[in-house]
Amino acid sequence: MRTSIHGQWSSRWIFILAATGSAVGLGNIWRFPYLTGENGGGAFVLVYLLCVIMMGIPIMMAEILLGRRGRKSPINTMETLAAEEGLNPNWRFLGWLGVLAGFIILSYYSVIAGWTIAFIFKTGMGDFVGANAEQTTTIFSELISSPGILLFWHSIFMFITIRVVSRGVSGGLERAVKFLMPALFVLLLVMVGYAMSTEKFLDGLKYLFIPDFNSLAEKNLFSDVFLPALGQAFFSLSIGMGAIMIYGSYLSKDSSITSNCFVIAIADTSVAILAGIAIFPIVFTYGLDPSDGPGLIFISLPIAFGQMPFGTFFGCLFFILLMFAAWTSSISLLEPAVTWLVESKKMSRIKASYIAGFIAWLLGVLTALSFNYWAFEFSFAGAIKQNGLFDIFDILTSNIMLPLGGVLVAIFTSWLMSRKSTVDELGLGDSIAYKIWRFTIRYIAPIGVLIIFLNSIIVFIFWLTVLFKILFILKINSLGSKGFGK
Ligand code: PFF
């Protein structure tokens, strides 16, 4: 039996905690509520839940299966498994797609995680005591319009991510996740408790759980609701880019992939739903606009912290825990690239972590500037996006690269790998559970993604125009630097 040169989890629970640590992060508490607000409330949530069940869980099982069988970085795992199954070694490009997506996600993820660090200090210093919606909006706007501050916190966050990855994931991560994840969960329950005391609690619940198809009349269901919901399911479960695959490669052979996946997906989804239940009643009670975009939780939750008893303490603790949740996710975004550098370029883990982390940091500078100097607006999926490159990075990775990566994983495991290999690895025998998994991953996942992609063709036209715009800008710049007119 193969083992990973990078180590192994010390127990099944540590794997579950680490994978949950990867899944639960800004995606659940920051991204899920704001996308729900932008893309149609209950209808978005419904499609998101369907995507988690019908595509997310089966693809997560497939990714872990591949990781555990290959026991290498996603790039080398794909190459090795393709060779073993007599397939084209170019399947390694699936690993590359993941590494690239990981870099792009990490680059902006770190900037947003930087906001949470800034908010630890703001809440801790009592900036929000008694604040109304207008004041919290101003505080947030001031933060994102200061590139220096954004870059500072982005750098700190990237540094602490690199530190953990450079020491080997299992050591630091195991300890962090054991206490912090449950604490975050409890604190979310406290926030839900506060939301229950607000006037518009029921309105918030209705908005979240009852699809209002009338409000979608002007939207294109596929590109404006289904595609973002699909992307959110992949983003939130950390699938489609090799993060869960690499964690699977440290999993011992006797642990059940299926039950692990269910635990992870249930934990991840409950955190997102709890965050929604905590946030929307506050949004409605204080007259905020649910489609306010990426600032939504940073504007709404501080109002609650400013009003509730011990709010400064709870607020500070909340942002600390959110930062830790982001940290345990960012580690898994960097890990696939680092393991590849260690395996294939024979670098030390420390050097590999700093190099890969530095590249992601550089890319993150673009995001930090897209909230101020380089901000530009465009409309996408029925919503106005105001933060140019950040939004482009986010949409490109979660709505396109992750689902594409996930479907290729699905096709590889269910159509190309031998049935015997997957039966062997999943340990379900030829049971009904195995058959359901195989059916979903063979048909439902690829067909579902294909239908959503094809119906979102407008989105792809959008990408083409973005590409042309970028080429055009580059051309203008190159003419300029050649001394245009001289
Ligand atoms: N799942 C993480 C979150 O919800 O915050 C983000 C993430 C981590 C996405 C790892 C993708 C990934 F591979």
Side-chain angles (χ1 to χ4, degrees):
M1 195 185 68
R2 223 179 259 144
T3 50
S4 167
I5 60 163
H6 310 283
Q8 186 162 332
W9 303 115
S10 48
S11 77
R12 169 188 175 219
W13 278 104
I14 298 299
F15 166 73
I16 292 191
L17 284 173
T20 311
S22 165
V24 174
L26 295 172
N28 309 61
I29 293 171
W30 157 74
R31 198 171 185 277
F32 172 75
Y34 99 75
L35 285 186
T36 303
E38 272 183 352
N39 301 303
F44 174 86
V45 176
L46 182 69
V47 181
Y48 161 72
L49 291 175
L50 287 176
C51 289
V52 168
I53 297 169
M54 300 193 355
M55 302 181 209
I57 297 177
I59 290 180
M60 185 188 265
M61 288 169 65
E63 251 193 59
I64 298 177
L65 175 166
L66 294 179
R68 190 168 72 175
R69 207 169 171 80
R71 297 255 187 241
K72 291 183 182 152
S73 69
I75 298 171
N76 290 330
T77 284
M78 288 315 299
E79 192 172 62
T80 310
L81 295 183
E84 275 178 11
E85 303 284 332
L87 303 166
N88 191 321
N90 283 336
W91 273 98
R92 69 172 170 276
F93 286 110
L94 175 53
W96 277 112
L97 179 73
V99 168
L100 186 64
F103 266 117
I104 305 178
I105 297 177
L106 178 59
S107 74
Y108 69 79
Y109 202 85
S110 166
V111 175
I112 312 293
W115 298 358
T116 63
I117 310 182
F119 267 63
I120 296 174
F121 293 98
K122 288 187 193 300
T123 30
M125 288 189 310
D127 286 10
F128 297 112
V129 176
N132 58 24
E134 204 179 309
Q135 285 158 324
T136 59
T137 309
T138 312
I139 294 177
F140 176 71
S141 310
E142 273 170 14
L143 172 72
I144 61 166
S145 52
S146 331
I149 299 180
L150 295 190
L151 284 176
F152 176 73
W153 292 123
H154 163 53
S155 311
I156 301 275
F157 185 81
M158 193 63 88
F159 178 68
I160 60 176
T161 301
I162 294 173
R163 284 280 295 184
V164 176
V165 176
S166 69
R167 288 166 174 201
V169 158
S170 50
L173 194 69
E174 289 189 9
R175 249 171 296 141
V177 187
K178 238 190 235 166
F179 302 103
L180 300 171
M181 282 293 131
L184 180 67
F185 201 79
V186 171
L187 208 63
L188 270 178
L189 290 177
V190 172
M191 297 307 298
V192 170
Y194 174 81
M196 284 168 103
S197 74
T198 59
E199 257 169 56
K200 300 259 167 97
F201 181 63
L202 286 182
D203 290 351
L205 285 192
K206 262 194 227 151
Y207 182 76
L208 206 54
F209 296 116
I210 304 185
D212 173 9
F213 288 102
N214 293 336
S215 73
L216 302 176
E218 275 152 41
K219 289 188 184 260
N220 170 332
L221 265 192
F222 281 94
S223 65
D224 304 355
V225 180
F226 292 6
L227 185 65
L230 175 78
Q232 174 60 16
F234 279 73
F235 186 94
S236 191
L237 292 172
S238 302
I239 52 175
M241 59 137 285
I244 288 292
M245 192 186 289
I246 192 78
Y247 277 12
S249 75
Y250 309 147
L251 183 65
S252 81
K253 179 82 184 145
D254 41 282
S255 181
S256 154
I257 293 181
T258 315
S259 58
N260 288 351
C261 278
F262 274 90
V263 176
I264 300 163
I266 291 172
D268 184 61
T269 310
S270 353
V271 172
I273 297 290
L274 279 182
I277 300 180
I279 285 161
F280 284 106
I282 300 174
V283 167
F284 292 125
T285 304
Y286 293 98
L288 291 165
D289 179 356
S291 63
D292 242 1
L296 193 64
I297 69 153
F298 294 94
I299 293 170
S300 59
L301 288 183
I303 308 179
F305 295 130
Q307 312 274 340
M308 64 205 255
F310 308 109
T312 301
F313 169 75
F314 280 133
C316 193
L317 190 62
F318 176 83
F319 285 112
I320 292 178
L321 293 174
L322 184 55
M323 184 207 76
F324 274 105
W327 194 7
T328 53
S329 301
S330 62
I331 291 166
S332 71
L333 285 161
L334 193 55
E335 184 72 4
V338 169
T339 45
W340 180 77
L341 287 173
V342 171
E343 283 165 12
S344 297
K345 298 284 159 211
K346 306 284 174 261
M347 269 184 203
S348 69
R349 196 170 236 282
I350 299 188
K351 188 171 169 196
S353 310
Y354 278 91
I355 292 183
F358 179 70
I359 299 175
W361 177 85
L362 265 187
L363 204 57
V365 173
L366 298 181
T367 289
L369 296 179
S370 65
F371 292 98
N372 33 72
Y373 287 145
W374 290 345
F376 62 85
E377 237 182 54
F378 60 92
S379 107
F380 178 84
I384 302 287
K385 302 281 185 181
Q386 295 178 328
N387 310 110
L389 275 179
F390 154 72
D391 285 313
I392 289 180
F393 287 160
D394 182 47
I395 298 167
L396 174 67
T397 47
S398 44
N399 292 5
I400 296 179
M401 292 171 89
L402 299 187
L404 193 64
V407 162
L408 290 174
V409 163
I411 292 175
F412 185 88
T413 11
S414 64
W415 288 97
L416 302 175
M417 244 175 135
S418 73
R419 190 182 169 104
K420 180 177 172 307
S421 307
T422 53
V423 169
D424 245 18
E425 208 56 55
L426 281 185
L428 294 172
D430 206 14
S431 60
I432 182 86
Y434 176 80
K435 287 189 178 122
I436 295 179
W437 172 78
R438 195 170 161 86
F439 179 79
T440 22
I441 200 147
R442 274 195 130 189
Y443 300 103
I444 301 199
I447 295 176
V449 171
L450 194 74
I451 293 179
I452 296 178
F453 268 14
L454 284 184
N455 282 288
S456 304
I457 210 83
I458 313 166
V459 174
F460 294 97
I461 295 175
F462 165 82
W463 284 108
L464 276 184
T465 49
V466 168
L467 190 68
F468 281 125
K469 259 191 212 158
I470 292 177
L471 289 177
F472 182 70
I473 293 171
L474 287 179
K475 180 124 180 93
I476 299 266
N477 283 348
S478 76
L479 285 178
S481 63
K482 272 186 205 141
F484 193 52
K486 276 190 201 152

